[in-house]
Amino acid sequence: MTTKNLRLALLLLAFVQTGFSGTARANPFEYTWQEVAPGVWAGIRQDPFELPQEGNSVFVLTEQGVVVFDAGGSPLMGESIVAKVRSLTEKPITHVIISHWHGDHMRGLQAIQSAYPNVAIFAHPYSRDFIAATQERWLKRRVSMVPNIRKALGAALAADHDLKGRVLIPEEKEWLLKGRDVLDQLDRENNRTTYVIPNATFADRMVLYLGGRELQFLHLGNSHTAGDVILWLPQERIVATGDIITAPIPLLPNPYTSDYAGVLQQIKALGFKTLVPGHGAIQHDTAYLDLLSDTFRSVTAQMKSLIAQSIRKEDAIARIDYSSVEKRFTHGDAFLTNRFHDYVSAALAEATYLIESGTGIKEEF
Ligand SMILES: [Zn+2]
């Protein structure tokens, strides 16, 4: 990746992690709520690319209180979770579990904690450490974030290019313009964000037995990050995966490619009826999960062979062939094709190179 491309990729990722996407609405930070089983609610970002690209959230009502899985990426998202819970029950939110450290899943915590000061907030130890270690940097970076995004968007739109320098297609232009419309609100949210550090951790597995419900929180291995946790409700056969699964295009900033397919197989083996991904629509079968597995297996097999032939890094990355999977993600749609190239092609190839060559992944903030 050239420095310029890397800079633009990081900027896009900053959008993703701040949670910014594209329908012009009064509140661009809202969820669409769906009751996926009695007392189990999923807050879905209807358009997963809407800027800011915030993560989905799930909560479970029990006789002893409410358990929330992921808190959204801004104070407004946390406030909307609190408001939805209060519209359904007088019971308090007692537990919040964070799927991973990325901001689009945890910067809503402050609203939940301020509404329920005694709430226990759990994360994998890796995620808690990462949040604690990086909060100062993010709180500094947020000052320049929106001005930088505004500048990059302005320059791209003026040149009729997208953020990667490609000729601007109408769908992409509409997306960027809608994103530009929410920048003031994003800036306000950034400026009122305080970091909440999880106050409890568990390494591999935690099970809550509350009011007749069983809620399992499982770390199945490294995949989207080194601290991913899923929610599994064995009675309801519902799984919420965090960003291990994001649809319709995977978000792969620093994927642990050699373990990823194995983690996906463990999720498949649960025998779920309903899957709530970290971003994107609810799923009821394993087709998308299988496509993700095929993608990791294909890229890993190709990369092993290229490394065995001593092909140098940049060439190896360029030679990864996605033709067996790309159309299964994009169906030829121009906007999705751009997202596939931005989020998957080079990023997955590079991560796979780093892992298969023994360098290893460094998660970026
Ligand atoms: Zn996310």
Side-chain angles (χ1 to χ4, degrees), residues 16 53-55 100 102 104-105 224 243 246 251 278-279:
V16 170
Q53 276 171 301
E54 305 280 10
H100 63 298
H102 290 165
D104 56 323
H105 299 258
H224 185 66
D243 284 0
T246 58
L251 297 171
H279 297 253

Side-chain angles (χ1 to χ4, degrees), residues 3-296:
T3 308
K4 189 171 172 234
N5 279 341
L6 182 64
R7 201 153 39 81
L8 287 170
L10 289 173
L11 193 62
L12 276 169
L13 191 63
F15 287 176
V16 170
Q17 292 179 357
T18 315
F20 134 66
S21 160
T23 330
R25 294 190 304 211
N27 175 8
F29 293 86
E30 70 193 9
Y31 295 109
T32 300
W33 291 102
Q34 296 180 44
E35 191 174 23
V36 288
V40 182
W41 288 82
I44 302 296
R45 295 287 283 166
Q46 195 74 345
D47 168 5
F49 299 108
E50 180 177 358
L51 302 171
Q53 276 171 301
E54 305 280 10
N56 294 333
S57 176
V58 172
F59 65 77
V60 182
L61 305 179
T62 85
E63 290 300 315
Q64 290 169 261
V66 181
V67 181
V68 175
F69 182 68
D70 275 352
S74 65
L76 263 175
M77 303 295 289
E79 285 161 9
S80 66
I81 293 169
V82 169
K84 185 65 187 175
V85 166
R86 285 183 168 160
S87 75
L88 295 166
T89 178
E90 289 178 357
K91 301 235 161 28
I93 295 175
T94 52
H95 302 75
V96 182
I97 292 81
I98 294 302
S99 65
H100 63 298
W101 65 264
H102 290 165
D104 56 323
H105 299 258
M106 65 78 182
R107 283 192 206 112
L109 282 174
Q110 72 188 72
I112 298 176
Q113 194 183 49
S114 107
Y116 304 102
N118 295 324
V119 67
I121 302 169
F122 288 83
H124 187 277
Y126 177 88
S127 301
R128 185 190 182 279
D129 288 350
F130 211 103
I131 292 168
T134 53
Q135 60 170 332
E136 285 304 322
R137 249 189 299 157
W138 188 83
L139 291 171
K140 267 186 206 147
R141 204 179 64 177
R142 67 177 170 178
V143 177
S144 57
M145 185 182 295
V146 164
N148 283 343
I149 293 172
R150 204 186 297 280
K151 209 167 127 193
L153 278 177
L157 289 164
D160 228 20
H161 284 161
D162 64 20
L163 290 170
K164 290 291 188 73
R166 294 172 297 229
V167 174
L168 199 55
I169 58 171
E171 302 90 324
E172 187 101 13
K173 184 172 185 176
E174 193 192 343
W175 182 53
L176 296 179
L177 287 172
K178 283 176 180 168
R180 196 173 64 177
D181 284 347
V182 303
L183 285 177
D184 286 340
Q185 207 161 356
L186 177 62
D187 207 28
R188 278 199 296 277
E189 287 302 293
N190 281 348
N191 281 311
R192 73 187 184 107
T193 297
T194 53
Y195 259 51
V196 174
I197 310 294
N199 54 22
T201 62
F202 61 95
D204 292 321
R205 181 182 169 86
M206 174 174 78
V207 186
L208 297 177
Y209 300 94
L210 292 174
R213 291 204 193 258
E214 178 177 347
L215 301 95
Q216 299 184 7
F217 298 91
L218 310 171
H219 172 66
L220 302 173
N222 296 350
S223 46
H224 185 66
T225 70
D228 298 306
V229 169
I230 66 162
L231 163 63
W232 169 234
L233 301 173
Q235 289 152 356
E236 295 83 358
R237 311 210 74 72
I238 295 168
V239 67
T241 64
D243 284 0
I244 299 170
I245 297 179
T246 58
I249 301 291
L251 297 171
L252 302 168
N254 305 106
Y256 292 81
T257 57
S258 56
D259 302 324
Y260 216 122
V263 170
L264 292 169
Q265 286 320 295
Q266 292 178 70
I267 293 172
K268 185 174 179 173
L270 294 170
F272 62 82
K273 204 167 67 180
T274 302
L275 183 153
V276 183
H279 297 253
I282 291 171
Q283 303 172 18
H284 296 286
D285 59 41
T286 65
Y288 187 78
L289 186 156
D290 291 336
L291 170 56
L292 284 180
S293 295
D294 290 351
T295 304
F296 284 104

Side-chain angles (χ1 to χ4, degrees), residues 334-356:
F335 181 82
L336 291 181
T337 299
N338 279 352
R339 300 287 74 72
F340 186 85
H341 291 151
D342 289 349
Y343 302 161
V344 181
S345 306
L348 176 55
E350 181 167 19
T352 308
Y353 180 91
L354 293 173
I355 288 193
E356 296 303 329

